[in-house]
Each structure stands twice: as structure tokens, then as C-alpha cells.
Amino acid sequence: MCGITGWIDWDTDLLHQARTVREMTATLACRGPDADGVWLSRHAALGHRRLSVIDLEGGVQPLADRPGPEAGAVLAYNGELYNHRELRAELEALGHAFRTRSDTEVVLRAHLQWGREAPARFNGIFAYALWDVRHEELLLVRDHLGIKPLYWHAHRSGVLFGSEPKAVLANPLFRPELDAEGIAELFALPAAPSAGHGVFRGLHEVRPGHLVVVARAATRELRYWRLESAEHRDDAETTRRTVRELLADAVERQLISDVPLCTLLSGGVDSSAVTALAAAARERAGQGKIASFSVDFPGSADRTPDAWRTTRDAPYVAAAADHIGTLHTTVLVPDDDLLDARDAVLRARDRPGWGEMDASLHLLFREVRRRSTVALSGEAADEIFGGYPYFHDAAALAAPAFPWLHGKATPADLLRPDVRAEVRPEEYAADAYRRSLGEVPRLPGESAADARTREVFHLALTRWLPPLLDRVDRVSMSVGLEVRVPFCDRRLVEYLWNVPWALKAPEGRSKGLLRDAVRDLLPPQVTDRPKSGYPSTPAVRYTEVLTARARELLADPNAPVFDLVDREAVRRLLAEGRPLPSPRTAPNPVGGLDHLVQVDEWLRAYRVGLR
């Protein structure tokens, strides 16, 4: 995996801007620690940082179709194509000659052959920039579900872009500012961010399944992929068998790597199924046992279960690892390490995130990276099979709002009255919900109950899943680790989109379809384990330190967070010993404190201006 950045400017000769382009590229060194490259022309500049995974010698970027001044197209690519071998064979049959084994060259030549229709043929995780030299046109392209990030900003005479906001921020043409919409995204919709919104004023994300066309005349965003609703005609057994085949094939394709590879194993059915299928594929190929990793905290055995974290991971991890036969490592994360990692994750995400959950994930990934460069994850299974509590909560499903936010306070409750009047957080959230419903592909003739279920699945895929994928990408790439997500295989997602709820949850069993599809691979206690979310630390010290920091902010008359947040409301809640509203939907008494302190740290560190 890699980092990409670039600059299009119709009024400036970018041949004289090499230093700035290199500075933009250097910000992404964590994403690509192995190599870097810059390509310059008068009106276009592309930068690339490389994490070498496939074709270690031949995948140098930016990659041109022809060397030197004869280049007709130049590509800066971040991703992995899991069907690159089939596409390569098809392109070779059409007369294309390849110089490398890399999937990067497949992407380039696919565009030379099929133009803007090329991304629809891809199966993988990707975000890339393609400069058409002859037509002076840039394409910015993002994968179907938005697994890999890509940001862009339109300035007066062109566009800046990058895998992360930090690359755009490194160009003096972009100023970090927060306007009313950005405040609403941070405080009212942190768990349901608007597709395409980059939080900073004027910063956009390329939307999943879209491409952005940048030309002299105009900049346009075009959709190349969408889910399509159709009647599901397979019976229960055929559906179960198809799910197993698609998932097994996705896992096997994602094992392709020229560097060490492992799995992330939490002891739930999702990650355990991926691990078991990966282990079986490696055994068929005559390869050794697969390594697996999990995270735990001191004192976790004493934690009280809740609706989101029903059981402790450790016993199930041990059962799965022993049954599958992995080389397993549990990474233990103490309190002080979590506190020390806070700045690293803020810099990784370029915005306030999920506090200690980001910090523990960073520390897990840092340890994984010592022994592996690629990791397979069980992320996204709950979104496509319906495993979260809100899929089974009648009140949440009936509410005219994002179901996971039903009955939940948000940090917007702490906004100052003057800021609230400008931002209108409730109105902003309601408008975002209505726009999201307008994007749902309907199926004529569906019952009202089935239509609502379809809506909730679409909301989960387009508003709930993106921040989870962004978190995993940004935190993993901050340590140079590539995380792959087999459950996001577009074929599996497209198939499950039309499988009715009665087949996804037979007899009302949450994720019953997935459990039945992989039952022969896992011990019963793992297969039937209830959904349990990513663990949070039970540490008292972490809460104490954050509380002390919040009190220091209250005593600081210049704390920038109180340009947004009501100082007296925070003071009152702390005095009463009540938790601050959290940006997370899962119960977490420290989540609101984390958010308050992180917003202040972010405003200071990034020198964010308020509009």
C-alpha cells in the first residue's frame, strides 16, 4: 500500500515547484516507507510514497506508459487489485505488453484500453490519480466501498490532492479552516459522516465508487458503481454455499503478497472465519502456519459486559487460534502506552478520532508491523450480514434517523449557544439522513418491513462503515501496515445486498447466514459467540489523566476548544461526575472527555482557523 499526492495548476509552471511537491509527498512517508518518487510537468505534478508488497523491484511510481517525454499517461496508485492476473491476461490478448509484474501497470493499461470504464472492472482496494498528458486531464478514482482514502481541494487555478489531508495541508495554497459544516460533521455526525466531506473547509473526499475528472473547463464527479436491487432467487442452501465460496475466494485472493502476511483475530466469527480460510488456503499451497494477532488490556477480565461488548475476547481468541492452528500473539496494551500514543493517532487521522480505541489499535498495529507487512481483517462483516445491535432494535429501526444514533447524545449538545445557532446540528443531521435515504436503490414491490431493512443496510454501508474503514486505514498506514478486508470484496457485497433478512438472520439468529456458512471451520463457542465490539480499556488511570487535562482546559482562558464548546456546560458535567456526550455509539464513559481534549489538541496542532 502507498501514499499519493499531487498538484494541478493551469496558471503556474509546476516544473519550478519541485520542492513543494516533495514536501507534500514527504508527509506520506509513513504510508510508504520503502521508496518515493515525483513526476513533474508544466501543469501537473504527481508524488508517490511506496510500501512494497507485490513486485518489489518493478513497482516504482509514478508510473508512465512510456519513458521520458513520450509519456502519454502517468499514474500514482495506492492499492491492491485482487483480479489483476485476469485483467493482465485480457489486456495482453488485446495487444498490451507489460514491463512489470505489478498491479499498478494493470491499472494504467486498463485505462489506456477502456478509459473511464476501467474502474468498474476492478476488484480490490484502491485510490489513484491518472494524468492524461495529451488531453491535460486528471482522473481521481476511489474503490467501490471507499477502503482507501483520497482527498482533494479545488483552488483558484486547479486542484490539490492526497491520500491524507496532511499532504494537501503541506501546500501553501490550502489553509486549515473549520466552517459550520465542518463543525457539524465533528460534533453532530461523528458516527455518520457525510460522504465526500473532508471536515476542513474546502476539502473533499472522492466518494466511494466515484471518480473526479479535473480539466481546464470544469471539475466533475462521476459515479462508476452502485449497488443494484433485484429479487433474490436462491434458496437457503444455495445462498449459504454461495456466501462460503465468495468469501473463501476473496480470502485466497487477498493472500497474494511478496512480504510477510498475518491475520487480526478477535475471537469473533468474522475474524475467525477469515483466519480459518486463510490457514486452509496456505495449507493447500504448501505454505506454513499463518500468524495471528489480538489485543488485550490489563484488568480486562474484570470489565462489566455491556450491549456492545458482551464477552471478553481472550477465551475465544485462544479457542480459535488453537482450533485453526495459528502462530498467535496477544498484544497487551497498558495505560501509559495508550496515553503516549494519543498524539501519534491524532497525527495519523488529521482530525479528532476515537481516542483510546484509536490509540490501542495503533499500538496493536505497531507490534504487528514488527513481523508482518500485510494483515487480513474481519472488518465489514457486521455491515453486510446485519450483526450490530441496531439491526435488531425495533425502536432504533422505527426512528426517523440513523438507527445507531437513536436515543444517543452527541458532542453537539455541548456547543456554545452562538455556535449552535450558526451550525444548527439537529437540522444538519436530519438533512444528512434524508439525503442518505434518497440514495437507496429501491426494489419495487417490497414490503414496508423489507424496504426499511434495505434502507438500514444501505445506511450501514454508506454512513456507518466508512469511518470504520477510514480508522483502520489511517491508523494501520501510520505504521506502514497494509490491512485487507475480505468481507468488502465487491462480489460478496453485491450478492448479500439482495439476500433478504430472513436468510441473513434465520430463526432470528444474528448473522446466522455467516455462522452457518463457516460452521465446519470453527469450534462451536466461536461460531455462536454473540456480537462483541472492539474492546476498550477498563483502565482508571486513563480516565483520571483525561479528566485532569479537561480541568486544565477549563482553567485556560485561551483554550481554543471553548471557541466552540460551552465552557460552563463542561464544568457542570465534570463537577457532577457525569460523562460528557461521546462521539461513539458504543458505551464508553471516557469517550466524551477524549473528544473534548482531542478537539483542543487538533485545533492547536493544526492551527485550525474558525470561519
Side-chain angles (χ1 to χ4, degrees), residues 312-341:
R312 181 173 172 244
D313 284 353
Y316 298 93
V317 169
D322 182 65
H323 185 87
I324 299 167
T326 72
L327 302 173
H328 187 74
T329 300
T330 296
V331 177
L332 196 66
V333 176
D335 310 3
D336 288 343
D337 287 2
L338 280 173
L339 291 164
D340 291 343

Side-chain angles (χ1 to χ4, degrees), residues 249-591:
D249 185 65
V251 170
E252 187 164 9
R253 287 174 180 269
Q254 296 187 28
L255 289 174
I256 298 172
S257 173
D258 293 337
V259 292
L261 178 145
C262 68
T263 69
L264 306 174
L265 180 61
S266 70
V269 65
D270 313 337
S271 64
S272 299
V274 168
T275 301
L277 290 166
R282 286 173 65 92
E283 184 177 359
R284 288 193 302 272
Q287 300 170 337
K289 290 185 176 183
I290 195 164
S292 59
F293 291 84
S294 62
V295 67
D296 203 357
F297 305 94
S300 63
D302 301 325
R303 185 181 183 91
T304 302
D306 58 49
W308 284 80
R309 302 178 188 91
T310 56
T311 50
R312 181 173 172 244
D313 284 353
Y316 298 93
V317 169
D322 182 65
H323 185 87
I324 299 167
T326 72
L327 302 173
H328 187 74
T329 300
T330 296
V331 177
L332 196 66
V333 176
D335 310 3
D336 288 343
D337 287 2
L338 280 173
L339 291 164
D340 291 343
R342 285 177 51 82
D343 184 63
V345 295
L346 179 62
R347 296 290 182 175
R349 299 196 70 175
D350 293 325
R351 56 170 290 177
W354 296 354
E356 53 92 5
M357 291 178 66
D358 288 349
S360 65
L361 194 67
H362 169 81
L363 294 168
L364 168 63
F365 287 161
R366 189 180 69 182
E367 290 304 307
V368 171
R369 183 61 175 92
R370 297 185 194 277
R371 280 163 277 184
S372 291
T373 307
V374 177
L376 268 62
S377 165
E379 204 76 59
D382 288 301
E383 287 78 8
I384 61 176
F385 287 98
Y388 286 111
Y390 59 79
F391 281 100
H392 307 269
D393 183 339
L397 295 176
F402 296 108
W404 52 90
L405 295 180
H406 172 65
K408 303 261 190 333
T410 70
D413 293 348
L414 293 179
L415 290 173
R416 287 171 28 166
D418 56 330
V419 176
R420 171 179 287 276
E422 194 74 22
V423 172
R424 302 179 182 178
E426 291 84 7
E427 182 179 323
Y428 187 88
D431 286 346
Y433 177 70
R434 284 192 292 269
R435 289 196 305 272
S436 298
L437 287 186
E439 297 177 357
V440 179
R442 305 291 177 176
L443 181 63
E446 269 192 325
S447 68
D450 286 342
R452 178 54 179 166
T453 301
R454 188 178 293 277
E455 288 178 349
V456 173
F457 270 101
H458 199 266
L459 293 173
L461 286 169
T462 59
R463 299 303 292 264
W464 171 275
L465 180 60
L468 299 181
L469 294 175
D470 181 73
R471 168 180 178 250
V472 169
D473 173 85
R474 302 288 286 281
V475 178
S476 65
M477 293 308 296
S478 72
V479 297
L481 177 71
E482 175 184 322
V483 174
R484 298 176 178 177
V485 279
F487 283 106
C488 285
D489 183 285
R490 58 172 291 195
R491 300 164 303 161
L492 182 62
V493 172
E494 289 168 348
Y495 183 78
L496 282 165
W497 169 247
N498 287 308
V499 173
W501 180 247
L503 291 181
K504 286 179 179 171
E507 296 101 33
R509 292 182 292 123
S510 176
K511 291 195 292 190
L513 172 57
L514 173 61
R515 299 179 195 278
D516 293 344
V518 299
R519 189 167 297 279
D520 60 310
L521 298 173
L522 304 169
Q525 68 266 39
V526 173
T527 307
D528 296 320
R529 181 190 181 190
K531 167 66 183 174
S532 193
Y534 182 84
S536 65
T537 177
V540 173
R541 173 166 160 71
Y542 189 87
T543 304
E544 291 175 344
V545 170
L546 278 191
T547 301
R549 290 186 182 176
R551 295 192 187 282
E552 290 172 2
L553 291 179
L554 286 171
D556 179 359
N558 298 314
V561 69
F562 293 117
D563 291 335
L564 300 173
V565 170
D566 188 327
R567 189 185 297 262
E568 293 308 312
V570 173
R571 194 189 310 277
R572 184 171 58 252
L573 288 172
L574 290 180
E576 295 171 356
R578 294 163 55 195
L580 275 61
S582 172
R584 309 177 210 159
T585 56
N588 191 303
V590 78

Side-chain angles (χ1 to χ4, degrees), residues 135-321:
H135 295 100
E136 291 194 325
E137 181 179 271
L138 178 77
L139 295 184
L140 299 174
V141 186
R142 196 170 179 208
D143 62 58
H144 303 73
L145 292 179
I147 301 161
K148 292 288 107 181
L150 184 54
Y151 294 84
W152 62 281
H153 164 70
H155 60 87
R156 182 182 58 83
S157 55
V159 163
L160 307 173
F161 64 89
S163 293
E164 299 181 6
K166 56 176 61 70
V168 177
L169 287 162
N171 191 301
L173 291 175
F174 184 78
R175 298 179 61 184
E177 294 180 332
L178 193 62
D179 60 11
E181 281 194 6
I183 295 168
E185 290 290 323
L186 280 179
F187 284 85
L189 286 176
S194 299
H197 202 293
V199 177
F200 290 104
R201 177 175 172 268
L203 187 67
H204 311 278
E205 270 195 285
V206 179
R207 298 178 63 186
H210 284 69
L211 54 85
V212 174
V213 184
V214 180
R216 282 180 181 270
T219 296
R220 296 174 294 149
E221 188 175 44
L222 306 174
R223 182 192 290 271
Y224 71 82
W225 177 83
R226 71 176 73 235
L227 289 166
E228 296 183 0
S229 295
E231 184 180 354
H232 183 76
R233 300 183 181 276
D234 291 347
D235 60 22
E237 174 57 26
T238 303
T239 300
R240 182 202 62 77
R241 186 173 63 251
T242 302
V243 166
R244 170 63 171 269
E245 291 171 353
L246 287 171
L247 181 58
D249 185 65
V251 170
E252 187 164 9
R253 287 174 180 269
Q254 296 187 28
L255 289 174
I256 298 172
S257 173
D258 293 337
V259 292
L261 178 145
C262 68
T263 69
L264 306 174
L265 180 61
S266 70
V269 65
D270 313 337
S271 64
S272 299
V274 168
T275 301
L277 290 166
R282 286 173 65 92
E283 184 177 359
R284 288 193 302 272
Q287 300 170 337
K289 290 185 176 183
I290 195 164
S292 59
F293 291 84
S294 62
V295 67
D296 203 357
F297 305 94
S300 63
D302 301 325
R303 185 181 183 91
T304 302
D306 58 49
W308 284 80
R309 302 178 188 91
T310 56
T311 50
R312 181 173 172 244
D313 284 353
Y316 298 93
V317 169

